[in-house]
Amino acid sequence: MSVSRRNFFRTLGLGSAGLSTSFIIGRGQEAMAFQAGTMPLPDDGGMIRISSNENARGPGRKAMEALQHAISPRVGRGYPPDYTGELVDTIAATYGVNRNNVIVGTGSGPILEAGVRAFCTADKPLVTAAPTYGTPDGTARRINVPIKMIPVDRALSLDLDAMAAAATGGGMVFLCNPNNPTGTAHNAAAVERFVRRVKQASPGTAILIDEAYIDYVHDPAVKTAVPLTQQLPGVFVTRSFSKAHGMAGLRLGYAIGQPETVQAISRAWSLGSVNTLTAAAGMASLKDPQHIAEERAENARVRDFTLQAFKDLGYQGSDSHTNCIFLDLKRPASEFRDACRALKVQVGRDFPPFEKTHSRITLGTMDEMRQAVQVFRKVLTAKASTSSAA
Ligand SMILES: Cc1ncc(COP(=O)(O)O)c(C=O)c1O
């Protein structure tokens, strides 16, 4: 059991709904599967962890109350599908779809893995981007599925034309919208054009649209692709509770698509067994859109502060629709990361093909970012004075 989980249960056992509990639940482990072994998990002892696109503020008040309420002898019962049925109904009602359009998992990560396993084979490649979220290509590598990695364009956006061209005959296309780590997003019209173009040229190719960060989007033209999933077989959207809902430590995600599509995904790989506390918190959070609006506003405030601090130092970041920023710091990510880590700030891993120039920084709390910015300033100006002296 991870340190966060131990703390989570210990703190809940004390009956506290304070900031520290929310904080702990919001911290999960992004992409443990492919980060394992490359970056040791910190013990948080004085370390500012802004490396894994977790949510430093944790869940909203209503989700916290639902969690506390759910801690009762009733947890002695709860084998699926009894309680997950209610969760699935709540998700379906949120989007106006039927319960057989929805599957849930212990995070959206297992669903991404299942998607690759369901639709890709040795002669049906995965089409993905570089850089983008790594679970789909990590899975493809493990099961020997060929991968077509399409570099992002000069604006760091997914190159939809090149991805569509590569998709013909493919098993599945992974479209991360907004994209992690670049933070870029495509509007609903562009996504629909892309999806229809792929399906027309290659009807058997599945399309996974990963909307883990969509609650952070600040352009109203960027919208969920859930309506498209109802029209086209093999097109599905995944969502995560680990980002704006602040529940990475509780592990909850879901997918929406046509019944045959989501059943094929379910059959391909275990999606885990969602626990009763998580289901209760997830339902409460879905019914609390006001909290998500507040979370989006706070994330934007922290993003603008952090981007401005980098701008003042002479570095421009991309316009992010996520809870991270991706910056050209004109030095290897490993060099910046090691220097920050020595000063107790942990920033993101390498993102090829940008590992020689760009770093990803997750947006923490405003307090964390105020402290982190001082460290960034120290690291970036120290480097500048060394090289100008050289
Ligand atoms: C784009 C994207 N999709 C999916 C995930 C997986 O999230 P989870 O398994 O916590 O739902 C992440 C995690 O960082 C992500 O960045």
Side-chain angles (χ1 to χ4, degrees), residues 160-161 164 175 177 186-201 207 209 211 221-232 235 237:
L160 295 187
D161 280 341
L175 192 80
N177 194 48
H186 289 277
N187 66 34
V191 171
E192 175 157 5
R193 262 196 315 276
F194 170 82
V195 168
R196 292 199 185 280
R197 179 175 163 192
V198 171
K199 287 309 251 184
Q200 194 165 23
I207 304 175
I209 301 155
E211 297 183 348
V222 179
K223 296 190 180 99
T224 180
V226 165
L228 269 182
T229 68
Q230 301 305 290
Q231 297 168 27
L232 295 161
V235 178
V237 160

Side-chain angles (χ1 to χ4, degrees), residues 30 107-110 112 133 176 180 210 212-213 240 242-243 251-252:
E30 179 210 1
S108 58
L112 304 189
Y133 189 60
C176 193
N180 171 16
D210 180 332
Y213 297 93
S240 172
S242 302
K243 309 303 172 187
R251 312 305 304 128
L252 184 59

Side-chain angles (χ1 to χ4, degrees), residues 99-370:
R99 59 179 356 210
N100 62 0
N101 294 121
V102 178
I103 50 173
V104 295
T106 49
S108 58
I111 306 178
L112 304 189
E113 168 134 16
V116 176
R117 289 174 180 269
F119 301 116
C120 296
T121 59
D123 50 11
K124 287 191 185 165
L126 169 75
V127 178
T128 186
T132 192
Y133 189 60
T135 292
D137 64 77
T139 303
R141 252 181 276 281
R142 274 198 302 285
I143 61 173
N144 295 320
V145 160
I147 304 166
K148 292 187 183 176
M149 284 195 130
I150 310 300
V152 295
D153 66 17
R154 292 169 69 85
L156 299 180
S157 289
L158 298 179
D159 187 339
L160 295 187
D161 280 341
M163 289 178 82
T168 302
M172 189 181 90
V173 184
F174 177 62
L175 192 80
C176 193
N177 194 48
N179 190 41
N180 171 16
T182 57
T184 52
H186 289 277
N187 66 34
V191 171
E192 175 157 5
R193 262 196 315 276
F194 170 82
V195 168
R196 292 199 185 280
R197 179 175 163 192
V198 171
K199 287 309 251 184
Q200 194 165 23
S202 188
T205 302
I207 304 175
L208 191 183
I209 301 155
D210 180 332
E211 297 183 348
Y213 297 93
I214 203 158
D215 291 317
Y216 287 125
V217 158
H218 57 82
D219 174 356
V222 179
K223 296 190 180 99
T224 180
V226 165
L228 269 182
T229 68
Q230 301 305 290
Q231 297 168 27
L232 295 161
V235 178
F236 62 107
V237 160
T238 54
R239 300 288 281 255
S240 172
F241 281 84
S242 302
K243 309 303 172 187
H245 290 273
M247 298 184 193
L250 292 177
R251 312 305 304 128
L252 184 59
Y254 57 96
I256 299 181
Q258 292 189 349
E260 301 71 29
T261 306
V262 294
Q263 277 158 23
I265 298 163
S266 274
R267 278 196 305 271
W269 187 243
S270 169
L271 304 181
S273 188
V274 175
N275 73 70
T276 51
L277 302 186
T278 296
M283 285 187 280
S285 200
L286 277 176
K287 291 175 187 162
D288 188 9
Q290 179 61 31
H291 170 68
I292 298 299
E294 287 164 12
E295 167 62 21
R296 182 186 310 117
E298 181 59 11
N299 182 69
R301 193 171 78 94
V302 175
R303 179 196 61 218
D304 293 348
F305 164 80
T306 312
L307 281 175
Q308 186 60 49
F310 276 106
K311 202 170 171 194
D312 293 345
L313 288 163
Y315 301 97
Q316 192 75 35
S318 60
D319 177 25
S320 175
H321 294 264
T322 62
N323 67 349
C324 65
I325 54 176
F326 195 56
L327 298 120
D328 182 358
L329 297 180
K330 308 191 188 309
R331 70 201 69 209
S334 58
E335 186 184 309
F336 181 66
R337 184 167 61 241
D338 291 349
C340 291
R341 194 177 165 80
L343 298 171
K344 294 219 166 242
V345 172
Q346 185 171 336
V347 300
R349 63 182 176 90
D350 284 1
F351 286 93
F354 291 97
E355 76 278 16
K356 297 269 175 356
T357 49
H358 286 61
S359 290
R360 188 191 73 180
I361 294 161
T362 301
L363 301 166
T365 63
M366 187 59 107
D367 275 355
E368 285 177 320
M369 297 321 283
R370 284 205 177 96

